[in-house]
Every structure is written in structure tokens, then in C-alpha cells.
Amino acid sequence: MSTHWTLHKFHGGIHPLENKQQSTTMPIQQAALPGLLVVPLLQHIGQPAEPCVSEGEHVYKGQLIASPAGLGAAIHAPSSGVVERIGAAPYPHASGQPYNAIEIRTDGKDQWHPDIRPANPDELDDEQLLQRIRAAGISGMGGAGFPTATKLRSGQQASIDTLIINGTECEPYITADDMLMRERAADILSGAAILQRLLDARQVVIAIEDNKPQAIAAMQAALGTRPWHVVSIPTLYPSGGERQLIKVLTGKEVPSGGLPAHIGIVCQNVGTAAAVHDAVYLGRPLISRITTLTGAALKQPMNVECLVGTPVIELLQQAGLDQTRMNRVIVGGPMMGFSLADLNAPVIKTGNCLIASTEQEMPAPEPALPCIRCGECELACPAGLLPQQLLFYAQGDDHEQLQANNLFDCIECGACSYVCSSKIPLVQYYRSAKADIREQQQKQIKAEHARQRFEFRQERLRLEEERKAAERQARAERMAKAKAAKEKADAAKPAPVAGSDPSADQLKKLKIEASMARVALTKAEKQLAQHDTPELHAQVAQLKATAEAAQQALAAAEPDATAAAPAAEKPAKAARPALSEAAKKAKIELAMARAALKKAERAEASEDELAPLREAMLKAEQTLADAETGTPE
Amino acid sequence: MSLILIAVITLTVLSLIFGAILGFAAVRFRVEGNPIVDQINTLLPQTQCGQCGYPGCRPYAEAIANGDKINKCPPGGEATIQALADLLDVEPEPLDAVEGEKPVQVAYIREEECIGCTKCIQACPVDAILGAARQMHTVIVSECTGCDLCVEPCPVDCIEMRPVEGDLRSWKWEQPSPIPDLLIIATDREDQA
């Protein structure tokens, strides 16, 4: 059906030497089981997985050994054995730095975990299918390693028209996907059917470069009655890039910064489709992959199916590595791959190719010459960028201009460096500039975060201070109010408080005096016992007298006071009701008579004038006495 | 004569009208605060460390807006100086710090030595230290700005600054060594010789 498909062209592209024929002379070989598997915790884009086994624990083949944290994929034991160590181990990365890994000493039994069971996808719903794919720890097998379940989930949320199964494999040397398509076409297609079902895609397109006629034939043959398209596309690097392939097949461009899903397209690698088949039908997690072993330093280049975690050196030896001829080992293709620093590093889920190259095959890069602005790079750039402008801005660290010239649309394919007549390592400039910009952005985000936290803290301290000040003020007001109230109360009844019980006060005073005298006496007596002098004798005698006097005074006052208190109250209580009208009147009259007499006396009145007044007063006194006795007591 | 008068009157009326418009705009579109301070502040690293001699990043931003030098921020380093120089259109100057640019650091509390005095918690400008009185304290690494303001107040000296260890994911490609300035034009080479 490939005949009916209209093809488009993407901008640029190059034709590097293919070098694919060396590794396709024999079928896929089974790699030997290594003694030690080094399974890194980061084999995908996102967060490293978290180990869920401990050192010394026995694991079965296919057992979960690290679960994903955040964006990521699960990692399983590639073979049965014992977890020997969890820690930093050689890792295939451009930096050459080690990374945390789980090392498994294999027991040679290669025993599958008993829970791994086949299933029929027709009996599973979409959610269960996706769960099976997620649990299998599948991430993109084409090279980038994006977790497949996450990609499918976001594809489900968009409306997908076309599912592209990417069998392009445009990088020179690599033939892993080619061999996979030749030998396992049926698995790829049944995996693709599951992907189509999950994404609800209208059509499925399988894209293969026209330099793989056997793969195209195998896929065509396996297609059967499926109404899908196997499309042969012209060989042109980098047609396997997701965006470039979409352009070739549909003529559409993925917007800058967007995802293919935004224009209704999802791309999956053929290896990913086969892994999905294994996960869904067989229940097997992603623990092995097909890797191309090639390069002039190998006697027998080939493709092997190897376990994830197999050290690179063991695989290369299986292919007849000639250490004396080997110059360096490239992981990935010659265009986008990197030199491996430590041959003990393992193959990981994304490791599609190992090139053991000789000096002659891949010589060290020639020294760069100044850019002569020939413009070849611009003609080659598949992303339609201006590589030489980007170079100048990168050299000048002009981040603003780099972003304005869409540096982040660069796919780092290396086409510009390949065609550069001055041998300038352009891609390395872009990678470095991208990393710098990302770092700056991270710093900016962190600074913004710190600023917010600082301002929140300032605000909190301010509010606390305000609250404290308000509390202080409230407290001061409350105290002032209480004081005022107390003063008022004191003014209202000063006598009852102070003089309510004068005898008690006096008694207290006497008691204090008595006890002080006693204390003075005991002190003096003590002194006397130590220094016997006549003065002291006299003093003691005097003090004794004082103390006794005080004691007596107290003793006299005590019964008085106890008696006085009720006595003083009693008459007052009794008298008040007893005072009759007559008595009151008599009292008033007496008082008036007294007053008149006193007035007269003060005025020095004569005896004749005073006599009647005295008489009147006496009379009044008599009347009062009568009135008081007259009333019932 | 009347021509001159008309011209004078016209210009006077025009100037009054425009003056009124400008006066209205000055009141209506008044900008609160100094916008350049905010712009400077966003370029500063917000560690609030006070190494510039001001109590925090915003006060230093205000000082720069009022004419202070732009090279007093050691945590920001050359990148910040360059960004400030671009913003303010002044010449970048070398960093004014004794120890120069330091690598990114975070505070670390040796927890077994901590007595739980809460002094470092009060010193931290971004609330990155967790703990309570007589309880062990610890630093929330992701929130720590590495200002080292917590080191000084610790009475038992159990806080130290540790450089942030980068792993693979923070690793970055180096920029290739600069292209030598070769004389590729024949006449230039002849002149040189």
C-alpha cells in the first residue's frame, strides 16, 4: 500500500556514509548471560527510579527492583540472581560520570518471576492495558527514552488522527530496528495494534527508509488484512527525527515548543511497539533489547538481543573485539552518539548501538577553523535554523539572541557540523549554550522562589509584630481600667477597709511587737551565753522586761478584742430598730438645746441667760432618757 | 503687528492645552515606586545574604537604583554583574569580594551536635530550617539559598556550608575551546611574515 502515500520534504538533511551492511550479515544473536548485571536507576527521561530491593536479596528475572518516582519508568531484574550492591557504578553518559545502579550477581538459572503471566488484550480494558505497559517499565526505544505510558496518556487526552510507527533508523551504522523488523514484524504490528487502540488513532503509518528493502518486505508480509500503510521514504538523515518524519509523511510541522499530539499525531519506535507486545501479551517487562555491535575493530559485527545491564565490554568481546585496533567506543550512532569513557558501563534501555571504531574509521576531530560564512550549515539544518548565527551568539553568550533564533528547536542531529567546511563542532556549542540557558532559568526560578519565601517571611514577622503590639496595648488598657476601677472603689469605702476592725489592727501590732521583743531577747541571751558581761546581763534583763510587757499587753488586748468585736456590733444593731419616733425627736431636741447652750457659752452670755438654756437641755436629756427606756428593749 | 499677536496668542493657548494634558497625565498615570528597583531586584539572586552590605536583595536593588556599584553581589557573580550592566547600560566591573565567586553551597546541620536553640531558624531569611526548641534542626536543602546567615548565630558551631554536588542531570557540555585566530587570507600571512 506504500504506493498511495504522498510524501513531502523537510528542509535540509544530509547523506552520510551508511555503513549498515556490516552488521546485517547474520540474524540476531543471543548475548551470553553476564556474571554481573549493572542496572542503572536512570534509563529514561525524568526522575531516577527508587530501588525497592535491598542488598543481598534474591531476585527473579522480571521482578520489579526499582519503582518510578514522578516522571519515569519502572526497572526490573534482567535475570535471576542476588542483589550484590546498590550504589554508584559506571554509566553510559557523555560526561563519563558514574551513576547509581543495582548490581545483580546472576545465578545462571535465568528463572522468571512466578507472577509473570500472559494475557489476552481483548479481555482487558484500556486502563488495564495502560497499567500493563506502565508496569513493564517501557520507555521510548528510539534513543530519547521518554516513558511510553506517559506519552500514551497525554495522547489519550488529545484527539489523535495518525499513529506513526517509526522504523526509519536514519543514523549510519545502526541496524537494530532493521533486524527487529525483519525478524519480529508480527510482534511489532500486534504491539502497534494495541497502541492504536489506546490512542484511538484513525490510521496507522509504518515508515521505513528505502535502504531497508528486506524490512519493508517483512512488514508488508506481516500486515495481512490490516488497513495500515507501510511507507517507504527516501533515505535522508535525519528523517527518523520525530518532527522531520511527521513533515515527510503529512507535510505538517509540529509547532515550536509543542508536541506532535497537539497536531493529532503520535510517533512510536518499532522497538517500543515490540516491547508493548511483550508486555501486554506475555506480561514480560522491558529487560532486554536488540543492540547493534559494529565498527571496524570487531571481527564479526552483528545484532544481539542482550539484557539491560550487560557490560559493554562483554558484548564487544562476543563480537570479536580487537582491542589493539580499537580507538574508541561510540554509544548510539556516529552522528548523535558519544564516546564511552568506561567499557564496564552497561547497555541501557535506550542503547541501540555500540561502535567499536578504529582510529582510521573515526579519527579525532580536526582543529576547527574560523567560520567563513559559506552557509552550508543553513542548507543542511533539518530544523530550518541559522546555525552560523547561533554559533556567533553562542560564542558571545548572548542568551537572548539564541532564544530569539530558536536554539531550543535544534534537535542536535549534527548535520551542520557534518557539512561544516571549517570543521567547527557546532552542536557542542549549541549543547553548551542550551545547558547554560537552562541553568540560568533554573537559577531564575530558584531566585524567584527564594524571593517569595523571603517576602512571606517578612510579612509573617510584620503580622506577628502587629499582633504583639495590639496585645500589649490591650493589656495596658485593661490594666489602666482595672486600676481606675480599684481607685474608685477605694474612694467609695475608705473607712471600712482600713478601720473596719481597729482592734484587730492593734492586736496585730501588739503581736508583732511581742514577737520582735522575743526575738531580741533570744538573741541577747545567746550572746550572753557566749560572752558573759555585766552590760549584757543588764540588757537581757531589760529585754526580758520589755518582752514580758509586750506579751502582757498582747494578752490583755486579745480577750478585749475578741469580746469587743461582737460587743461593738451588737448595740449598733440593736439600737437602730429600737430608736422610736419619740426618742428621735428627743435626741434632736437635746442636740438643739446643747447647741444653743454652747453658742451662748461661747458668746459669753450672762448667767441669767444661760440658766434657762441649761434647764432646757437637762429637760431634753430627761425626755430622751424617758423615750429610750420607754421603748421595748 | 496683529500677525505677531495672533502667533503669540496661538502658541500660548497651545502651550496651556498641552501643559494641562501633561499635568493630567502626570497625576493620572503616576507610577508607584521606582520600577527600575523591581527590575534590578529580579536580576539579583535573592539569597538575602547581606554580603553586599545591605540587609537583603531589595535594599541593594534600591541602592543600585540610587547609584551604588553593581559589583557587590558575590552569590550572583559575574553573570549578575553582566545582567545588571546590560539593564542599566553601564560598564561591567569585576566582582568586589575578597574570596571571589564561590560555588553554590547549602547549609548543613550536623544533627547530633544540634542543641535545638532555634537561633538559626530565626536567622534564616527564607525559612529553610526546620526544627523547634530543644528539638534537632535540619535544613530543607531545596529551599536553602546558601546565604550562610545561619552559621554565625549557632552557639555550638554545628552548621557548615557544603558545596552542592551536581550529578549527571546537572552536568553540562563545555563550550569548545575558542577557535584560534588563524590568518586564512594569503596577503595577511604575507604581511605577518
Side-chain angles (χ1 to χ4, degrees):
Chain A
M1 285 183 222
S2 53
T3 45
H4 307 302
W5 198 266
T6 327
L7 290 173
H8 305 260
K9 265 187 75 74
F10 63 87
H11 180 269
I14 54 171
H15 286 283
L17 270 181
E18 285 172 20
N19 282 314
K20 286 181 189 266
Q21 69 285 353
Q22 298 96 316
S23 52
T24 50
T25 54
M26 55 199 282
I28 299 170
Q29 303 293 304
Q30 205 63 41
L33 183 69
L36 185 72
L37 287 162
V38 181
V39 190
L41 296 173
L42 185 64
Q43 306 190 30
H44 45 258
I45 284 178
Q47 301 295 316
E50 281 172 4
C52 52
V53 289
S54 45
E55 287 175 12
E57 195 175 325
H58 177 268
V59 290
Y60 287 105
K61 182 174 186 163
Q63 184 180 334
L64 182 75
I65 54 173
S67 46
L71 175 66
I75 290 168
H76 302 80
S79 183
S80 60
V82 175
V83 177
E84 193 167 89
R85 194 176 73 91
I86 300 173
Y91 181 73
H93 191 266
S95 67
Q97 289 177 18
Y99 199 75
N100 286 341
I102 298 174
E103 290 182 0
I104 297 170
R105 177 69 58 188
T106 56
D107 56 12
K109 292 179 197 154
D110 213 24
Q111 201 175 7
W112 280 97
H113 194 274
D115 284 353
I116 287 171
R117 288 197 195 91
N120 183 0
D122 297 336
E123 291 162 8
L124 301 173
D125 62 25
D126 284 4
E127 197 51 46
Q128 285 168 318
L129 277 181
L130 203 60
Q131 184 49 40
R132 248 174 125 78
I133 292 169
R134 189 198 313 282
I138 300 174
S139 54
M141 306 276 281
F146 193 85
T148 303
T150 311
K151 194 171 180 175
L152 291 173
R153 174 76 75 196
S154 62
Q156 280 180 326
Q157 280 151 9
S159 155
I160 301 300
D161 175 74
T162 308
L163 169 66
I164 297 174
I165 300 298
N166 188 346
T168 335
E169 201 164 51
C170 59
E171 271 236 32
Y173 284 96
I174 311 176
T175 55
D177 288 349
D178 186 4
M179 294 309 289
L180 180 77
M181 286 187 283
R182 289 189 204 183
E183 297 191 15
R184 290 183 59 194
D187 289 355
I188 294 168
L189 292 174
S190 78
I194 293 165
L195 295 173
Q196 184 198 18
R197 179 184 145 189
L198 283 174
L199 293 165
D200 199 19
R202 186 177 61 85
Q203 59 178 353
V204 178
V205 184
I206 298 140
I208 307 168
E209 272 189 346
D210 58 12
N211 60 359
K212 297 183 238 331
Q214 284 168 289
I216 295 171
M219 293 296 275
Q220 283 280 17
L223 208 53
T225 56
R226 290 191 179 100
W228 297 354
H229 307 268
V230 175
V231 180
S232 162
I233 63 170
T235 301
L236 180 66
Y237 180 83
S239 60
E242 193 171 60
R243 281 152 199 258
Q244 285 65 38
L245 184 58
I246 289 169
K247 173 81 177 167
V248 168
L249 291 175
T250 67
K252 289 187 202 168
E253 275 186 23
V254 181
S256 173
L259 290 173
H262 295 159
I263 54 168
I265 297 170
V266 166
C267 267
Q268 291 287 359
N269 178 264
V270 284
T272 313
V276 167
H277 166 268
D278 287 353
V280 172
Y281 282 91
L282 309 176
R284 289 184 181 175
L286 177 54
I287 52 167
S288 70
R289 66 157 299 132
I290 293 166
T291 298
T292 306
L293 307 175
T294 185
L298 295 183
K299 283 195 188 74
Q300 181 51 65
M302 60 167 115
N303 277 281
V304 289
E305 177 156 20
C306 65
L307 296 177
V308 165
T310 309
V312 165
I313 184 73
E314 293 193 24
L315 289 176
L316 293 179
Q317 278 163 350
Q318 195 178 341
L321 174 68
D322 183 353
Q323 290 263 24
T324 53
R325 294 183 64 211
M326 189 189 79
N327 176 36
R328 55 179 170 154
V329 173
I330 308 283
V331 177
M335 300 299 294
M336 295 183 71
F338 55 89
S339 300
L340 190 62
D342 186 347
L343 291 188
N344 291 310
V347 170
I348 60 172
K349 289 176 187 175
T350 52
N352 50 8
C353 183
L354 299 168
I355 309 172
S357 64
T358 58
E359 174 73 47
Q360 187 197 359
E361 191 180 19
M362 288 184 194
E366 289 173 53
L369 294 166
C371 173
I372 58 166
R373 286 195 178 261
C374 64
E376 283 296 320
C377 49
E378 192 279 322
L379 294 176
C381 180
L385 302 176
L386 297 172
Q388 59 181 4
Q389 288 306 108
L390 290 173
L391 168 69
F392 299 142
Y393 295 134
Q395 283 173 333
D397 287 325
D398 192 339
H399 293 173
E400 260 174 53
Q401 280 294 344
L402 284 169
Q403 280 170 288
N405 281 275
N406 300 309
L407 172 69
F408 281 91
D409 284 340
C410 169
I411 58 167
E412 301 174 21
C413 67
C416 51
S417 312
Y418 182 82
V419 299
C420 181
S421 53
S422 290
K423 311 291 175 203
I424 300 171
L426 290 157
V427 175
Q428 200 181 332
Y429 278 99
Y430 307 150
R431 281 175 172 164
S432 157
K434 277 184 184 176
D436 278 346
I437 291 173
R438 285 205 192 98
E439 196 182 62
Q440 284 294 324
Q441 283 169 344
Q442 284 302 315
K443 269 192 188 159
Q444 195 65 43
I445 290 168
K446 192 155 188 211
E448 182 57 28
H449 186 66
R451 191 182 61 78
Q452 273 180 11
R453 282 181 77 87
F454 177 66
E455 277 168 13
F456 273 129
R457 180 188 149 89
Q458 296 291 92
E459 180 69 7
R460 196 189 71 221
L461 293 181
R462 193 180 62 75
L463 287 177
E464 221 162 84
E465 201 48 56
E466 265 175 23
R467 190 177 54 75
K468 269 188 193 160
E471 263 175 22
R472 219 168 18 238
Q473 203 181 343
R475 207 161 44 231
E477 269 170 24
R478 214 164 42 235
M479 275 174 73
K481 220 179 255 172
K483 206 174 167 191
K486 198 180 168 197
E487 267 168 17
K488 219 172 177 183
D490 283 358
K493 43 170 190 172
V497 176
S500 62
D501 205 354
S503 55
D505 272 9
Q506 215 174 349
L507 199 63
K508 215 176 186 176
K509 219 168 158 189
L510 285 172
K511 263 185 182 166
I512 293 168
E513 268 171 22
S515 77
M516 270 167 75
R518 249 200 324 274
V519 169
L521 176 62
T522 35
K523 240 185 189 168
E525 272 175 347
K526 260 185 201 161
Q527 249 176 354
L528 180 64
Q530 282 171 1
H531 325 277
D532 198 1
T533 60
E535 291 93 53
L536 274 174
H537 268 291
Q539 214 178 349
V540 167
Q542 201 193 331
L543 281 169
K544 215 174 225 170
T546 322
E548 262 163 27
Q551 197 62 41
Q552 268 169 9
L554 177 62
E558 255 173 350
D560 261 15
T562 43
E569 265 170 48
K570 208 176 172 187
K573 251 187 208 161
R576 238 171 267 137
L579 245 65
S580 67
E581 281 300 300
K584 253 186 198 166
K585 216 175 169 183
K587 257 190 176 171
I588 294 166
E589 267 169 27
L590 173 62
M592 277 169 75
R594 264 195 199 133
L597 179 62
K598 269 200 179 143
K599 209 176 172 183
E601 272 175 349
R602 242 181 280 151
E604 285 170 22
S606 62
E607 198 56 34
D608 298 50
E609 283 170 322
L610 289 175
L613 285 173
R614 278 201 189 107
E615 221 167 295
M617 200 198 75
L618 285 172
K619 206 178 165 190
E621 268 179 352
Q622 191 58 48
T623 324
L624 176 63
D626 285 352
E628 278 185 339
T629 47
T631 52
E633 180 68 24
Chain B
M1 192 61 199
S2 69
L3 211 65
I4 294 170
L5 208 64
I6 288 170
V8 167
I9 290 169
T10 315
L11 285 175
T12 311
V13 170
L14 276 176
S15 62
L16 284 174
I17 291 170
F18 287 125
I21 292 173
L22 282 175
F24 171 74
V27 176
R28 177 70 180 75
F29 303 111
R30 187 187 190 83
V31 177
E32 293 290 333
N34 190 350
I36 197 75
V37 172
D38 283 326
Q39 288 182 37
I40 296 171
N41 196 31
T42 54
L43 293 179
L44 295 174
Q46 305 298 326
T47 50
Q48 319 295 348
C49 63
Q51 290 178 59
C52 51
Y54 295 94
C57 291
R58 180 159 268 278
Y60 180 44
E62 280 160 11
I64 292 176
N66 290 326
D68 199 350
K69 289 195 167 176
I70 59 169
N71 61 349
K72 293 185 176 176
C73 180
E78 296 297 334
T80 298
I81 293 174
Q82 189 60 49
L84 287 172
D86 287 348
L87 175 71
L88 303 169
D89 197 20
V90 294
E91 278 300 307
E93 297 164 68
L95 185 66
D96 177 21
V98 187
E99 294 140 42
E101 216 168 316
K102 278 189 277 183
V104 184
Q105 292 180 314
V106 287
Y108 175 79
I109 296 178
R110 290 192 295 276
E111 286 161 1
E112 61 277 14
E113 290 171 40
C114 174
I115 55 169
C117 69
T118 74
K119 285 201 169 101
C120 54
I121 295 181
Q122 289 154 31
C124 180
V126 291
D127 287 331
I129 299 178
L130 202 66
R134 271 174 238 165
Q135 306 290 321
M136 182 194 78
H137 302 347
T138 197
V139 175
I140 308 169
V141 175
S142 59
E143 308 293 356
C144 178
T145 62
C147 67
D148 80 12
L149 289 179
C150 52
V151 175
E152 189 60 36
C154 180
V156 293
D157 221 4
C158 73
I159 307 181
E160 63 191 33
M161 300 305 291
R162 292 187 171 179
V164 180
E165 281 175 26
D167 73 346
L168 283 177
R169 287 176 297 157
S170 61
W171 178 84
K172 53 181 196 176
W173 288 85
E174 288 291 310
Q175 194 174 87
S177 44
I179 298 161
D181 201 9
L182 292 176
L183 299 170
I184 50 173
I185 299 168
T187 48
D188 286 356
R189 277 201 301 272
E190 280 162 18
D191 287 353
Q192 190 79 8

